[in-house]
Amino acid sequence: MINKLSHSCVFVLSQDSAKEFYVDKLGFEVRNDATMGEGGFRWLTVGPAGQPDVEIILMEPGAPQHDPETERALRDLVAKGALGAGAWETSDCRKTYEVLSSRGVTFLQKPAERPYGIEALFRDDSGNWFSLTERTEFDPGKEWASTPAR
């Protein structure tokens, strides 16, 4: 049976640039950075320091896994920000927003209250967008601006 998720892939436009972004701006650790095989396939993984059992694969679209047409399509989608890549949890969204902003991270949305917590949205240097979320106790009876009127 499956026990847990260990790796997840984020397509990036440049592994070198992505490595710098994820390590220097987000504060992640490099877990693996190895070139394998004749074609020079690069296996680059990073992850949050406090979560050693999860690795984010920073992968450029292309051979050997993609044909040229698929590579172009994926690169276009990544650059447009069409691929939402996930949610990162933080214990203090507003403070983390300030720290990451000072490091040059581009935010699409400042921290705002949501039914599930406080959330800000940012992009990596390739265009992928992420939620930065501080979970709070969910109140199903609370009215929210995005909730349709009853």
Side-chain angles (χ1 to χ4, degrees):
M1 297 303 292
I2 296 172
N3 294 322
K4 62 183 178 178
L5 175 70
S6 65
H7 292 72
S8 184
C9 180
V10 173
F11 285 112
V12 297
L13 301 179
S14 162
Q15 286 179 309
D16 289 332
S17 180
K19 179 180 177 182
E20 182 178 311
F21 178 87
Y22 282 81
V23 172
D24 296 343
K25 293 189 178 183
L26 298 185
F28 287 9
E29 299 174 333
V30 174
R31 302 282 166 75
N32 288 287
D33 190 353
T35 303
M36 302 181 292
E38 289 181 28
F41 178 79
R42 186 175 180 190
W43 181 254
L44 174 60
T45 67
V46 297
Q51 196 174 18
D53 61 336
V54 172
E55 296 187 49
I56 306 303
I57 306 161
L58 301 177
M59 185 175 297
E60 289 184 36
Q65 68 273 27
H66 302 115
D67 61 73
E69 182 180 345
T70 302
E71 177 185 353
R72 280 190 301 279
L74 280 170
R75 286 182 175 278
D76 287 345
L77 289 170
V78 168
K80 286 181 184 179
L83 302 177
W88 297 110
E89 190 169 314
T90 180
S91 58
D92 188 335
C93 187
R94 289 179 177 89
K95 181 177 180 180
T96 304
Y97 166 83
E98 293 298 331
V99 169
L100 296 182
S101 292
S102 74
R103 293 180 184 168
V105 174
T106 300
F107 278 83
L108 303 172
Q109 179 185 88
K110 293 180 179 183
E113 289 192 33
R114 303 280 181 241
Y116 44 84
I118 301 168
E119 177 187 53
L121 300 177
F122 70 91
R123 284 190 185 216
D124 70 7
D125 67 319
S126 291
N128 296 298
W129 66 271
F130 294 91
S131 167
L132 176 66
T133 304
E134 174 187 343
R135 293 183 192 216
T136 58
E137 188 174 323
F138 178 65
D139 181 357
K142 188 172 183 178
E143 291 290 328
W144 296 92
S146 61
T147 304
R150 295 180 198 185

